[in-house]
């Protein structure tokens, strides 16, 4: 939902095969939007992922396949091995040697790659909030996934998104994209919290006041970090330089990369093992736009070519 003049919204609706609907007639009139807004619904690809459970599952499967997982291991350096390959050193004094290395360090990508290879990636970590609000008494069951209540996104100001009541009975997740810049090694855990919370509360009062309680304040606040690129798109590339194709980088997933984790992981693995990504080629995805050097003033393609 959002202004019809918003090109990103129109493109998203078209790409999803969304059908315009009258929100007043859907979900008990839970949403109210300004006159003239585009409101559309798609049944394709919608859903909610449980991120914590998903990560635990992938780690368990990796271990079953022979991987070794080191929790809380701080990477200090990545170096060329004396006899080829790559050596990764951690703060605990451990060294890991291999033919190839895939770097997916999230908010620390810019810092690590700068120290390792002098590469300057404009990836800005943002302090981001996930907010849970109380559903008004009597309507708890109406806003659940079981009742068919949808995930949703508002392209207005502020840019708000939400999911049906699923994880915590009686509560619904409604949050705002973005947040203030932060340093992953010296993070202020409350920076910008009041501003973001107040923006979302105002949106709830304007758009879902009949169903969600905002005046009493939020119930649960969780913080995380997003790693934003200038075009909000991904980085998937060989590090190059002295490392050539021995080091592959996956970074800058801009708050919307988790859902694509399995596909991105396959692409990065193929790049490391085979030197190319057949999965991307078969899907018709041109990886040129995701290269590190697209930030050198000569962007390679449009940000939404994929």
């Amino acid at each position: 939902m959002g202004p019809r003049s918003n090109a990103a919204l129109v493109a998203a609706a078209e790409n999803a095969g969304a059908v315009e609907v009258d929100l007043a007639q859907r979900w008990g009139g839970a949403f109210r939007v300004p006159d003239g807004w585009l409101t559309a619904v798609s049944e394709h690809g919608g859903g909610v992922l449980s991120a914590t459970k998903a990560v635990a599952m992938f780690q368990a499967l990796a271990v079953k396949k022979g991987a070794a997982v080191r929790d809380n291991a701080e990477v200090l350096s990545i170096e060329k091995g004396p006899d080829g390959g790559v050596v990764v050193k951690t703060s605990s004094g451990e060294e890991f040697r291999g033919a190839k290395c895939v770097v997916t360090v999230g908010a620390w990508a810019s810092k690590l790659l700068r120290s390792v290879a002098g590469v300057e990636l404009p990836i800005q970590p943002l302090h981001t909030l996930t907010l849970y609000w109380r559903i008004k008494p009597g309507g708890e069951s109406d806003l659940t996934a079981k009742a068919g209540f949808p995930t949703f996104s508002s392209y207005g100001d502020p840019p708000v998104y939400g999911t049906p009541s699923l994880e915590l009975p009686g509560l619904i997740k409604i949050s705002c994209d973005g947040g203030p810049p932060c340093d992953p090694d010296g993070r202020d855990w409350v920076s910008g919290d009041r501003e973001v919370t107040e923006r979302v509360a105002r949106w709830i009062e304007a758009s879902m006041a009949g169903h969600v309680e905002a005046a009493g304040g939020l119930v649960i606040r969780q913080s995380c970090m997003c790693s934003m690129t200038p075009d909000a798109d991904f980085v998937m590339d060989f590090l190059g330089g002295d490392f050539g194709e021995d080091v592959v980088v996956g970074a800058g997933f801009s708050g919307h990369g988790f859902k694509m984790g399995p596909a991105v992981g396959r692409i990065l693995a193929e790049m490391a093992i085979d030197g190319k990504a057949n999965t991307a080629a078969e899907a018709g995805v041109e990886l040129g736009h995701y290269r590190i050097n697209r930030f050198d003033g000569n962007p390679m393609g449009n940000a939404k070519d994929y």
Side-chain angles (χ1 to χ4, degrees), residues 84-281:
V86 182
V87 179
V88 176
K89 298 180 179 180
T90 70
S91 58
S92 66
E94 287 187 293
E95 293 187 4
F96 300 90
R97 300 173 183 271
K100 301 293 180 71
C101 174
V102 178
V103 178
T104 51
V105 295
W108 286 265
S110 292
K111 285 190 170 186
L112 182 61
L113 295 178
R114 183 185 303 118
S115 66
V116 166
V119 172
E120 292 290 342
L121 279 182
I123 296 176
Q124 176 62 61
L126 301 181
H127 173 76
T128 306
L129 293 180
T130 300
L131 309 175
Y132 292 83
W133 308 80
R134 192 174 306 282
I135 299 171
K136 290 194 171 181
E140 293 88 350
S141 62
D142 298 332
L143 304 190
T144 63
K146 185 176 181 180
F149 196 75
T151 58
F152 58 91
S153 181
S154 173
Y155 283 67
D157 183 18
V160 167
Y161 69 92
T163 65
S165 180
L166 182 64
E167 305 156 280
L168 303 169
L171 303 183
I172 185 170
K173 180 168 74 174
I174 305 176
S175 302
C176 182
D177 286 333
C182 68
D183 179 348
D185 291 313
R187 185 172 162 204
D188 179 351
W189 287 72
V190 296
S191 176
D193 283 16
R194 176 178 294 180
E195 178 186 355
V196 171
T197 300
E198 289 178 351
R199 293 180 75 194
V200 176
R202 288 195 296 270
W203 183 89
I204 291 173
E205 290 173 346
S207 304
M208 298 187 73
H211 293 73
V212 180
E213 179 61 56
L218 65 106
V219 179
I220 295 176
R221 160 201 170 279
Q222 297 175 335
S223 63
C224 61
M225 288 186 289
C226 288
S227 302
M228 296 295 298
T229 59
D231 59 8
D233 223 334
F234 308 160
V235 175
M236 294 187 288
D237 198 6
F238 299 104
L239 183 55
D242 294 339
F243 292 97
E245 295 188 354
D246 288 344
V247 176
V248 178
V249 176
F253 291 95
S254 301
H256 57 266
F258 184 81
K259 67 181 76 68
M260 304 172 196
V264 169
R266 180 181 293 273
I267 289 170
L268 297 176
E270 290 174 351
M271 291 173 67
I273 296 170
D274 305 322
K276 58 182 179 180
N278 290 328
T279 295

